[in-house]
Amino acid sequence: MAQRKATLERLNAFSDGVFSIIITILVLELNPPQQTTFTALLALWPTGVSYVVSYLFVAIVWVNHHHVLQYAEAPTARLIQRNFAHLFSVSLVPFSTAWMARTRLAGVPVALQAGVFVLVNVTYVALLWETFERADEREISAQARHMMRVRSFLTLGAFSIAMVLSVKFPLYGLGLVCCCLVFYLRPEAPHTAGNRSRFLAILRAPRRRGVHCHTESKE
Amino acid sequence: MAQRKATLERLNAFSDGVFSIIITILVLELNPPQQTTFTALLALWPTGVSYVVSYLFVAIVWVNHHHVLQYAEAPTARLIQRNFAHLFSVSLVPFSTAWMARTRLAGVPVALQAGVFVLVNVTYVALLWETFERADEREISAQARHMMRVRSFLTLGAFSIAMVLSVKFPLYGLGLVCCCLVFYLRPEAPHTAGNRSRFLAILRAPRRRGVHCHTESKE
Amino acid sequence: MAQRKATLERLNAFSDGVFSIIITILVLELNPPQQTTFTALLALWPTGVSYVVSYLFVAIVWVNHHHVLQYAEAPTARLIQRNFAHLFSVSLVPFSTAWMARTRLAGVPVALQAGVFVLVNVTYVALLWETFERADEREISAQARHMMRVRSFLTLGAFSIAMVLSVKFPLYGLGLVCCCLVFYLRPEAPHTAGNRSRFLAILRAPRRRGVHCHTESKE
Amino acid sequence: MAQRKATLERLNAFSDGVFSIIITILVLELNPPQQTTFTALLALWPTGVSYVVSYLFVAIVWVNHHHVLQYAEAPTARLIQRNFAHLFSVSLVPFSTAWMARTRLAGVPVALQAGVFVLVNVTYVALLWETFERADEREISAQARHMMRVRSFLTLGAFSIAMVLSVKFPLYGLGLVCCCLVFYLRPEAPHTAGNRSRFLAILRAPRRRGVHCHTESKE
């Protein structure tokens, strides 16, 4: 068991490293203008929009990835493979972001960006299934599993529509992508009393067995 | 509790990753000269100044971030969101540094750099409030809270003045920014007897509860 | 002992950092096209193929590296040197990938890529020998050692053939490289009953002594 | 105490992150040739030499840094400042390497590279003094301190001579730098019986108190 946990921790740490590099190298695409005026800076708004959208997206993906790997029990070959597939799809984000920014939000590049988001979602669902399939029923209620599936497919659907829409109407497609991201980020869900999002609430929920159980006996 | 700490540790590790990448990719903006003379190298002084200022700034931000997250108790959604907002503002530093360096410290780029520093400070204060608001009064004395607020607003004010000043007088604005950074770094505060800065002294102060409590029982 | 383990952990963490950066900066070589059409995107297929092959390769190298370092007992000077030699050879992958992609899979660049893969394998075998030579016979059976050697030399041979072949027939050479990589990745080995690859199965095997033994007593 | 150790661990992890990024982004300077011939590849030998020298240097600096921070007891402000100064000087290596490579080992760029190595050494000595000054005499014998000082100053002297020499005779200067690096790396010191270098032997020496003492009680 100790070995499994050690491997899971390294898988987490490696994934965190990849996420932190991807979210940071996005900024390498932000080329400062030649002129030294505010007008020249403002003319870069498509680059700014592309950067903000990608940053938000990777941040949300990190939170989700963190969440799903909490339920992983053993570092099976399939889990490692699906995790690499997920990281691969996330690693395409800087490429599509750069294309979108340089072409000032043209149709096909925005569609590619949405397509990459779809791919990230598909590999995330694959990771989710591998993890949840193996987790006990006691730990993750049928309702939670259902919610998870519904949300995954809703997002997948919205990004797919955005992808098709963007080819002709890139700004509408991008707007739809932004709505999805903001939906994930809104601080309060309508039917919750607290000041935390339903999305992140699970981070505070008690878990069956601590991955870092070496701290448990001290409390 | 173990779960909360594990999540906090991962948040710390992820943030550290982002900080270490940002402070390192700054150097990718340092383009070596075409000629192979010392004169050509010295002509790069605006790039050198931009790099040193940004490096110092990110180093100070890292120390501050480390400090404030020590008081975090639970990885609430709001904490995670404000942390991502803080990291986002820091991630703009390489962009403004590059613009400043390439335009040889022109007015608007230096003002943008100061503006990014203001943004980093604003998101830091937001992070500070989220953390301190939830911390017990016993742990952080009213005086410490007061000091923290005063210092945050002084820095915020100085950077804001530097931002406005830089548009017309970039070198004076940059000088003001440098004064703030050196103020943070001076090894001895006037009224302290030891050889440590008041700024970092808090790192050695006893904390209520250890994040890494698995070492506690050994001492 | 605690010290040795601490050093091993830092060696692991440092190596993981290098792997995660290498696998991520590969994407910086993916330059988006100037046009905004799907045709322009599809014309980048040699870049895409180069990227996917390199990503797969680094992922497999990470799993192998993780595996071999589990058997390391002490951070000897030789282990550290061979580890740096291994990381050095892996760090050449982005260079050969970029050359291969920019020249649209020309002969010599593909041969260089295969040559880099050979170098990575040679340094891996060196690391393996240093680790296994020092490990007890009880822990790693003669059969496992034999398997490990056979597989290493088979891969080494295949990559060497691919290197020579690529100079004249780059696509056949690349095809051979891809076959090797896919062979490592196939989810089920013919003679195993479970749904896990033989390659990764070892990750779940009990180990003699846990590196992270602080979790052992809790279970 | 737990807090101090936690801060030291984070300082170590942050420094490791910076080192792993610096050693990896060196490769971004390796621009593949336009032609697809072995001749074009061999013409890049100055780039190759620059890369190998810098890689070796950063690897040695990492081992040294790891070594010195093992003796740190508390994360004092001065330790943190000197650590940042050390990381700053190391962060200049990609810049001087790129200049050296692009000018095909011209005089001034090689001198700058040696100058950066001097700066790294100076900040390392500063870090060493801060750490050793505070460590007990029992732990680090007078002889060990003496050895450390002698070696530091010898390296400092050699790099300084190389710096001056390189302005007129870059290849001789670079040769001297390479000799120093190889001296550090030779696997066996003349007067030691084992198969480990004297340099790294200290990594296996028992330390007074484990930073990761949570593993101690298990053994």
Side-chain angles (χ1 to χ4, degrees), chain C residues 101-116:
Chain C
R102 287 182 203 171
T103 60
R104 300 184 71 82
L105 313 183
V108 177
V110 174
L112 180 73
Q113 177 81 313
V116 168

Side-chain angles (χ1 to χ4, degrees), chain C residues 82 86 120-130 152-153 156:
Chain C
R82 291 187 177 184
H86 187 52
V120 170
N121 243 31
V122 167
T123 53
Y124 175 70
V125 169
L127 198 60
L128 204 64
W129 277 354
E130 170 65 18
S152 298
F153 284 108
L156 206 57

